Amino acid sequence: MIPILAPLIGLALATPAVTDVHRPKTVRAAPARTARKAPPTKADAAPPILPSPDVQRVMSWVSGSGDNRGLPWAVVDKAHAALFLFAPDGKPLAAVPVLIGIAPGDEASPGVGTKTLAALGPAEKTTPAGRYLAKFGLPVAGERVLWVDYATSVALHPIPKDAGAKEKRRERMLSPTPDDNRITFGCINVPQAFYARQLRPTFRKKGGYVYILPDTKSLEDVFPRLRALPPL
């Protein structure tokens, strides 16, 4: 286990617990009181988002080689629908669930960046794997986004406000498994609070690197430098 993994244990995205409240019948109307929320218990807390073996390999490589070139960086694990954010020195900052492209696949279709969303076919809605220098750029719907790969129109941003209710993106993001997290046209959706409080301030000045792990190719095919490193 590499040293930088330990702080990740506490970087889970907490989901609110839902309880049924039954009020006793009263004869007289009592003055309104502000209900106090019970402190969360261990049973209510969401389990921590921990890095998979493939994420650990990439983390070890980037931290050990300085491949991030002094910039903040993030690792997106498509197989487990999770993102891990790091400071330039490799310090873990956050681990959150994500939504990714509907179709499995690690390459963008030719010309996909020039098409409208409505013109994309089902097989073209992929989140390509690779190493990207991500920067904030031209606005989409009036708001600047973090472009992971501008040429293929892959960005990293919160759930769009105009996303259809039938897609249930928020529910998918908060679900306990990654099985239903494939819903986007290829972009990577992250929690709004994480985007505003951590990702945007961290990447705002000079950008940073985003490492997107494959779900169909081998890890070494996407990141050839891993072949020179011993397995963990």
Side-chain angles (χ1 to χ4, degrees), residues 68-90:
N68 59 308
R69 299 182 181 179
L71 294 175
W73 49 290
V75 179
V76 177
D77 185 357
K78 290 196 290 180
H80 298 89
L83 180 148
F84 301 87
L85 178 66
F86 301 89
D89 62 0

Side-chain angles (χ1 to χ4, degrees), residues 5-161:
L5 295 184
L8 286 169
I9 297 177
L11 296 177
L13 178 70
T15 56
V18 179
T19 57
D20 293 325
V21 179
H22 299 281
R23 295 181 178 177
K25 295 181 179 179
T26 58
V27 177
R28 299 179 181 179
R33 294 182 179 180
T34 302
R36 293 183 178 180
K37 295 184 179 180
T41 64
K42 292 183 179 180
D44 297 327
I49 300 176
L50 299 178
S52 66
D54 283 350
V55 172
Q56 293 179 34
R57 288 190 66 194
V58 173
M59 289 164 54
S60 179
W61 158 52
V62 176
S63 294
S65 66
D67 187 78
N68 59 308
R69 299 182 181 179
L71 294 175
W73 49 290
V75 179
V76 177
D77 185 357
K78 290 196 290 180
H80 298 89
L83 180 148
F84 301 87
L85 178 66
F86 301 89
D89 62 0
K91 177 184 177 181
L93 299 178
V96 297
V98 297
L99 301 179
I100 56 175
I102 293 174
D106 298 316
E107 295 184 1
S109 300
V112 68
T114 63
K115 296 183 179 180
T116 63
L117 294 180
L120 294 178
E124 294 179 304
K125 299 174 183 178
T126 61
T127 300
R131 172 184 181 272
Y132 301 94
L133 178 56
K135 293 185 177 182
F136 280 92
L138 299 176
V140 174
E143 183 177 355
R144 288 165 60 87
V145 297
L146 181 61
W147 287 107
V148 175
D149 187 20
Y150 185 78
T152 58
S153 297
V154 175
L156 206 160
H157 56 78
I159 296 174
K161 296 179 181 179

